[in-house]
C-alpha cells in the first residue's frame, strides 16, 4: 500500500518537473524586440462625386394583385379542387417529377417562405407562397404571383405558372 503512494508521488513530481514557464519576458532584453514590417505598395486611390440616387422611393413597387392566372379557367379547376390548409403544404414537394419545392411556415411578407431547387423557368424565382381559398399561390421574392396550384388528390396538386407552364406537385 505504501508503494502505491510512493509511485503516485513520483509520477506527480516527474510530471511537474517537465513543466516550465513559456511566457517571454520582454524586460530582460530590450534590444530583442521584433523588427517592424516594411510597408507594401498600395494602388492609388481615386476620389470623386457619387451620382445622385435614382428613383423617387427607397422601397420597391407593391406586388401585383393575386388575381387568377391568365389563360386559366379557375372556375373549372376550383370546382373540382379539394380543400387545402397551410399546415398540409409544409415540407418538400417534387415539381413535375424533375425538381424540388420546399415550403415552410416562416412568415415572408403576406405569405410564407418557400423556394425551389433544380427547377427551370419562373419557378427559379419562387420566394414565398400562401393559401387563398382552394388554391395555393406561388410568389417570387418581390411578392408578385408567378403561379398557382389546386389540390387534386392526397399529396397531389396541379396548376400553372403565369406564362402557362404546367405545374404538378407530388410527394
Amino acid at each position: 500500500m505504501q508503494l502505491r503512494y510512493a509511485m503516485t508521488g513520483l509520477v506527480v513530481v516527474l510530471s511537474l518537473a517537465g513543466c516550465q514557464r513559456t511566457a517571454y519576458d520582454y524586460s530582460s532584453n530590450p534590444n530583442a524586440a521584433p523588427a517592424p514590417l516594411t510597408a507594401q505598395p498600395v494602388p492609388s486611390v481615386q476620389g470623386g462625386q457619387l451620382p445622385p440616387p435614382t428613383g423617387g422611393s427607397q422601397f420597391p413597387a407593391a406586388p401585383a394583385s393575386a388575381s387568377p392566372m391568365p389563360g386559366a379557367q379557375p372556375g373549372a379547376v376550383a370546382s373540382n379542387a379539394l380543400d387545402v390548409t397551410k399546415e398540409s403544404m409544409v415540407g418538400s414537394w417534387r415539381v413535375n417529377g424533375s425538381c424540388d419545392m420546399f415550403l415552410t411556415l416562416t412568415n415572408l411578407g403576406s405569405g410564407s417562405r418557400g423556394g425551389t431547387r433544380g427547377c427551370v423557368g419562373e419557378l427559379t424565382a419562387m420566394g414565398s407562397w400562401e393559401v387563398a381559398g382552394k388554391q395555393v399561390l406561388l410568389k417570387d421574392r418581390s411578392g408578385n404571383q408567378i403561379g398557382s396550384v389546386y389540390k387534386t388528390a392526397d399529396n397531389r396538386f396541379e396548376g400553372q405558372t403565369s406564362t402557362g407552364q404546367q405545374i404538378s406537385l407530388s410527394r
Side-chain angles (χ1 to χ4, degrees):
M1 186 100 164
Q2 295 288 339
L3 183 60
R4 184 190 319 166
Y5 292 126
M7 291 302 288
T8 304
L10 181 62
V11 170
V12 169
V13 169
L14 289 176
S15 63
L16 292 177
C19 294
Q20 62 180 342
R21 185 172 178 189
T22 57
Y24 183 75
D25 185 11
Y26 289 102
S27 63
S28 64
N29 188 357
N31 295 332
L37 297 174
T38 58
Q40 297 295 315
V42 179
S44 62
V45 177
Q46 298 175 351
Q49 187 68 21
L50 291 175
T54 59
S57 174
Q58 64 180 352
F59 300 105
S65 67
S67 60
M69 295 284 103
Q73 295 95 9
V77 176
S79 64
N80 297 334
L82 303 172
D83 290 332
V84 62
T85 62
K86 282 184 89 165
E87 291 78 15
S88 67
M89 293 298 299
V90 174
S92 175
W93 293 87
R94 194 77 177 149
V95 181
N96 298 338
S98 62
C99 65
D100 297 310
M101 181 180 290
F102 305 98
L103 306 177
T104 70
L105 288 177
T106 305
N107 289 336
L108 181 66
S110 64
S112 297
R113 188 174 303 275
T116 60
R117 177 179 60 198
C119 293
V120 295
E122 288 178 279
L123 293 178
T124 59
M126 183 187 162
S128 66
W129 65 282
E130 67 179 278
V131 174
K134 291 187 175 187
Q135 68 178 336
V136 178
L137 305 176
L138 308 175
K139 298 181 177 185
D140 64 13
R141 292 173 186 92
S142 299
N144 300 312
Q145 185 175 337
I146 60 172
S148 65
V149 292
Y150 294 90
K151 186 173 184 176
T152 57
D154 284 343
N155 295 322
R156 182 123 182 118
F157 288 79
E158 302 286 336
Q160 66 181 14
T161 65
S162 58
T163 60
Q165 175 188 358
Q166 293 298 313
I167 304 172
S168 173
L169 301 179
S170 61
R171 286 195 192 187

